[in-house]
Amino acid sequence: MIRVGIRGFSTRTRVFKISPAQYVEKVKQKKIEDAQFRESLVQGQPKCEPQLLSTHDKDGKPFPLNVELLKYKPLRLPKTYGHEVATLTMKGYDDDDLIRMGEFAMRAAYFLGIPMSGLTPLKTQKRLYTVIKSPFAQAKTKQNFHRVTYARKLIAYDANPDVIDLWLSYINRYKFADIEYSASLVSHEPLNYVDELAKLDEFKLPEAYNGIEDPVAKKVESLLKSDKFKKYLKA
């Protein structure tokens, strides 16, 4: 009789290196520390114990506070009414860059007073491209290229349109080149909005367009003042 022994091998680390009771106590302590840190930020100057750049240097400079805060998740303001005013969607090929840019946008929104949602992951797109290796001798040989596109979404609530424009312009100024951004804005108009449009005789461009010799701006102005545009707008 032959006895065969089967052994399993795994490189994964154990989930619990400590006992369950110690793990629960550790999680509770972490929540208490996070709550104390947030309360210190709201009340005044936060208590910061920065690390030194070099443990061997006696005169080493500590990390700045803004660098120290990067170790924590971005703070978020509570919603006032829960009205969605903007949705920012980001797509890219590196999920780490999306998370980094999403946290940057959330931090900017916090200091501008914009309540934000969490960084929500969207559906990941996976595509496979098959092409020939060369058009001559190796035409029968195929090559496969795999591309994965990640996506994240942020929703802004209860903010003034001017503040939203400032927030989006700030993000656009410091955006990553390899990330695609798209924003959809929600505007609230009164119930008599159609009646107010019907009373308008002429459409005027903003004063910022005055004196600009731009053919595109002139074309837009002519379209806005055309009778055909007014006809479809009233319809």
Side-chain angles (χ1 to χ4, degrees), residues 154-179:
L154 284 172
I155 302 178
Y157 300 92
D158 307 327
N160 189 284
D162 296 335
V163 180
I164 293 296
D165 292 340
L166 178 62
W167 175 59
L168 293 177
S169 62
Y170 185 75
I171 295 174
N172 186 48
R173 181 178 180 181
Y174 297 101
K175 64 181 180 180
F176 288 177
D178 55 346
I179 295 180

Side-chain angles (χ1 to χ4, degrees), residues 26-38:
K26 184 178 179 181
V27 172
K28 290 182 179 179
Q29 185 65 24
K30 185 66 169 57
K31 290 182 179 180
I32 294 175
E33 292 177 357
D34 292 343
Q36 292 177 353
F37 176 74
R38 293 186 180 182

Side-chain angles (χ1 to χ4, degrees), residues 96-98 100-101 171 174-181:
D96 293 337
D97 288 345
L98 291 179
R100 189 178 297 110
M101 192 62 202
I171 295 174
Y174 297 101
K175 64 181 180 180
F176 288 177
D178 55 346
I179 295 180
E180 177 186 355
Y181 304 83

Side-chain angles (χ1 to χ4, degrees), residues 37 48 50-51 53 62-72 107:
F37 176 74
C48 178
Q51 300 178 359
L53 295 177
F63 286 118
L65 180 59
N66 55 349
V67 178
E68 184 74 14
L69 291 176
L70 293 177
K71 299 192 303 182
Y72 302 91
R107 288 187 172 92

Side-chain angles (χ1 to χ4, degrees), residues 183-203:
S184 59
L185 306 180
V186 179
S187 60
H188 300 274
E189 302 293 344
L191 296 177
N192 59 345
Y193 178 69
V194 179
D195 298 335
E196 294 293 335
L197 287 179
K199 296 178 182 178
L200 296 178
D201 297 331
E202 295 184 359
F203 291 92

Side-chain angles (χ1 to χ4, degrees), residues 11-210:
T11 58
R12 297 178 60 183
T13 58
R14 295 178 57 186
V15 177
F16 291 101
K17 295 184 178 180
I18 57 178
S19 63
Q22 293 176 347
Y23 177 76
V24 172
E25 186 65 25
K26 184 178 179 181
V27 172
K28 290 182 179 179
Q29 185 65 24
K30 185 66 169 57
K31 290 182 179 180
I32 294 175
E33 292 177 357
D34 292 343
Q36 292 177 353
F37 176 74
R38 293 186 180 182
E39 186 177 357
S40 63
L41 288 180
V42 175
Q43 291 181 356
Q45 185 68 21
K47 182 180 179 181
C48 178
E49 298 178 357
Q51 300 178 359
L52 298 179
L53 295 177
S54 176
T55 56
H56 303 286
D57 189 4
K58 296 182 180 180
D59 299 330
K61 297 181 179 179
F63 286 118
L65 180 59
N66 55 349
V67 178
E68 184 74 14
L69 291 176
L70 293 177
K71 299 192 303 182
Y72 302 91
K73 292 183 179 180
L75 299 177
R76 290 187 292 167
L77 298 174
K79 304 175 187 177
T80 306
Y81 303 103
H83 297 161
E84 296 184 10
V85 293
T87 302
L88 178 64
T89 305
M90 299 173 291
K91 295 182 180 180
Y93 305 122
D94 191 348
D95 197 27
D96 293 337
D97 288 345
L98 291 179
I99 296 175
R100 189 178 297 110
M101 192 62 202
E103 292 184 351
F104 171 78
M106 294 174 65
R107 288 187 172 92
Y110 175 79
F111 289 105
L112 288 174
I114 305 175
M116 296 293 299
S117 67
L119 190 59
T120 307
L122 300 178
K123 184 178 179 180
T124 302
Q125 298 179 358
K126 298 181 180 180
R127 292 189 177 183
L128 180 65
Y129 299 91
T130 303
V131 297
I132 59 175
K133 190 172 183 179
S134 66
F136 296 104
Q138 299 176 346
K140 294 183 179 180
T141 305
K142 308 296 182 181
Q143 284 184 327
N144 295 327
F145 296 92
H146 186 220
R147 187 178 72 179
V148 180
T149 304
Y150 302 95
R152 298 272 177 167
K153 182 179 69 173
L154 284 172
I155 302 178
Y157 300 92
D158 307 327
N160 189 284
D162 296 335
V163 180
I164 293 296
D165 292 340
L166 178 62
W167 175 59
L168 293 177
S169 62
Y170 185 75
I171 295 174
N172 186 48
R173 181 178 180 181
Y174 297 101
K175 64 181 180 180
F176 288 177
D178 55 346
I179 295 180
E180 177 186 355
Y181 304 83
S182 61
S184 59
L185 306 180
V186 179
S187 60
H188 300 274
E189 302 293 344
L191 296 177
N192 59 345
Y193 178 69
V194 179
D195 298 335
E196 294 293 335
L197 287 179
K199 296 178 182 178
L200 296 178
D201 297 331
E202 295 184 359
F203 291 92
K204 296 182 180 180
L205 289 176
E207 296 181 357
Y209 286 90
N210 293 338

